[in-house]
Amino acid sequence: MDSFAEELGDEGGQSFAEDETEDVPAVSAVNLPPPGIYLPLLPKYLRCPNTADRKSSEFQTVKEECLNNIQEALLRSQWQRAAELMVSYVETLESTRTEKKRAAPEKIWRLGTEILQHHPRSNIDEINQFADRMKNLGVKGYLQVSLEHIFYLLSNGFLDEAYQNLVLAESWRYGEQTVAQEKELKLVQGYRALLDYLKWLKKKTELLELDENSYAVSSVQQEMHSFYRQAAVGFEQIIKTPGVWDPFVMCYVDMLEHYEEYEEARKMLNEYAYNSKFPANPNAHVFFYQFLKRRGEPRKKQISALQVLHELVPSHELMLEFYVLLKKSKKTKNQKLRLEVIFEVLDFAGWKENTKAWCYLAKQIVEILQSSGKQLDWLKKEWESRKDWWPAFHFSPYLAKTNWHENKSLACEKVLVAGILLGKDCKYFKYIVRQGCKAKKKKFKTLRRFVKDHSWIHLRLT
C-alpha cells in the first residue's frame, strides 16, 4: 500500500484544485467517496470552497446532517464512510461566526482522531502527523491534544515516542495560555515522571540480576538514582495539587521506600489521605494503612487509618483485617465497632457467601451471649435496622438448600446466626439442622440445644 499520508496529499490537492474552478455543494462530497481515507491532515485541507451564494440556513442544515452521519458511522464502526464524510464536514471551518471558528478545530481533532485510531488502513506515523497538525491549529488546546495523543501512544506500547512527546509538551510555553493550561501541564509532568519510574524499575530489575561484585553495579545504581530524581520532581509537582493521583502516589512511595526515605513517604501519604482540600478517596487511606502495616506501626494508628476507610467504603475487602485489629483491642468502643463492621460488611451482596465473615459474626454472637453487660444491647441495635430485610436476603429456604449443597462450611456458620437472630423456628435453621443430623454430624445436635437454650434472645431482640 502506498504511503497513507502521500495518498491523502494527492487526493487533497486534486479536491481543492477542483474547488477553485467549480462551486461544489457539501452534499456532493458526501456522494463521491474517495478511493482511500481522506482527512484534513495538512493545513491546505482546511481551505474552504466558496459558498457565498449559499444560504446560511441551507449550509447549517447540510453541516448538521453531515455531522449526524459521521456520528452514526462512528457508532457502527464504519471507519471508511466516516473518513469520507469528513471531507464535507471540514467546511465548518469556513464559518464567519467567532464561536464556530473556535469550536471547529476541536471537532475536527476529535472526529479525525477517532477515525484514524480505528481505521484499518491507518498507521502510527499518520496518527502522529495528524496530532502534530492539531496541536498547532489552536494554542488553547495544545496540551489537551498532546495528552490525548500521549495516552494513545502509551496504551499501544509506544513508550519512547510517548516520552518524547511528554518532554516537548512539558517545555511548551505560550504566554498567558501556559497559565491557563496549568492543570494539563501538571498531568504532563506526572506522566513524564511515570515513564521515568518505569525506567527506574527496569534498572532496578537489572541490578537484582547482577552479581554484587560486578563492575556494572555502580553504573546501574547511578542511572537508577538519576531516574529517581527526575521522577521525584514530577511526582511532587502533581501530588501536591488537590486531586486523585493514585498511580503516581504508588510509584513514588515505591521509590521512597527503596531509598529508605520513610518519613518523606509517611508525610506524603498522610497529606494525600487527610488533606481536606483533596477529594474523598478510599484508596488514599488504603495506601496509608498498607504503609503503616509494612512499617510495623502501632495497632492504634492502623485502626485509625482503616476507620476512615470503613466510613467511606464499609464493604471494602480490608474490613476483615479491620475486624481482626479491633478484636485485639481492649477498648469497649472498639468491641462495639467490631460488631458494627461485620454487620455492615454482610449488608452487601458481594459478601453474602464469605464464610470467614459469617464465622466472625457467629463467634462474636456467642461471645455476647456468654458475657454480661450492655453487649446484648449492641446486638439488638444492629438487628433492629435489619430484621425486616435480612431474613429474605440471607436466610430464605432457597438459600438454605443452595448453601447446604454448594458450600456446607458456609451453611454451618450461617445456621447459628439464623437460629439466634430468628429463633429455632426459622426455616433456614430448621433445614440446615435437619440435613446436618441426617449426615450424623454431632455438632448439629449441640447447635440445636444451644439455640434452644438461648431462645429467649430472639424474643429480646424483637
Side-chain angles (χ1 to χ4, degrees), residues 112-181:
T113 299
E114 189 71 16
I115 294 169
L116 276 172
Q117 290 182 359
H118 293 89
H119 198 289
R121 294 186 62 194
S122 67
N123 58 53
I124 189 61
D125 291 333
E126 287 142 4
I127 292 172
N128 289 343
Q129 222 179 53
F130 182 75
D132 288 340
R133 297 298 182 184
M134 292 297 102
K135 290 174 190 176
N136 296 307
L137 194 58
V139 294
K140 290 186 177 181
Y142 182 91
L143 290 180
Q144 187 179 9
V145 176
S146 296
L147 280 169
E148 292 283 356
H149 183 216
I150 289 162
F151 293 155
Y152 173 80
L153 293 172
L154 289 173
S155 62
N156 286 274
F158 298 102
L159 301 186
D160 291 338
E161 292 87 344
Y163 192 85
Q164 292 171 7
N165 277 272
L166 284 164
V167 172
L168 287 173
E170 190 174 3
S171 62
W172 178 79
R173 295 293 182 273
Y174 197 90
E176 294 181 356
Q177 292 302 322
T178 307
V179 179
Q181 299 181 59

Side-chain angles (χ1 to χ4, degrees), residues 36-92:
I37 303 179
Y38 179 32
L39 284 177
L41 298 183
L42 302 175
K44 66 179 182 179
Y45 291 1
L46 300 181
R47 299 174 188 170
C48 307
N50 181 18
T51 57
D53 298 330
R54 186 182 303 165
K55 293 182 179 179
S56 177
S57 59
E58 179 186 351
F59 175 73
Q60 291 299 323
T61 301
V62 171
K63 185 178 67 175
E64 290 173 5
E65 182 179 351
C66 187
L67 177 59
N68 291 335
N69 287 330
I70 293 174
Q71 291 172 335
E72 181 182 357
L74 293 178
L75 289 172
R76 296 176 181 273
S77 300
Q78 297 172 346
W79 310 114
Q80 178 62 28
R81 179 169 178 259
E84 294 164 1
L85 289 167
M86 279 291 291
V87 178
S88 298
Y89 192 67
V90 74
E91 294 182 5
T92 189

Side-chain angles (χ1 to χ4, degrees), residues 85-115:
L85 289 167
M86 279 291 291
V87 178
S88 298
Y89 192 67
V90 74
E91 294 182 5
T92 189
L93 292 178
E94 75 183 44
S95 175
T96 58
R97 296 172 61 185
T98 304
E99 64 272 18
K100 294 293 184 181
K101 284 185 177 181
R102 290 176 178 173
E106 182 174 0
K107 290 181 179 179
I108 297 299
W109 161 52
R110 291 195 178 279
L111 292 171
T113 299
E114 189 71 16
I115 294 169

Side-chain angles (χ1 to χ4, degrees), residues 279-291:
N281 179 10
N283 286 339
H285 301 280
V286 172
F287 299 154
F288 191 42
Y289 163 70
Q290 291 173 338
F291 173 80

Side-chain angles (χ1 to χ4, degrees), residues 407-423:
N407 191 345
K408 288 183 173 59
S409 297
L410 173 65
C412 290
E413 300 298 344
K414 286 179 66 176
V415 66
L416 172 63
V417 179
I420 295 299
L421 296 179
L422 297 173

Side-chain angles (χ1 to χ4, degrees), residues 262-294:
Y262 301 117
E263 286 306 313
E264 182 67 24
R266 182 199 306 277
K267 180 180 177 182
M268 187 267 291
L269 287 170
N270 186 77
E271 180 77 4
Y272 188 57
Y274 295 107
N275 190 327
S276 59
K277 294 181 180 179
F278 282 67
N281 179 10
N283 286 339
H285 301 280
V286 172
F287 299 154
F288 191 42
Y289 163 70
Q290 291 173 338
F291 173 80
L292 295 173
K293 184 179 177 182
R294 288 194 299 271

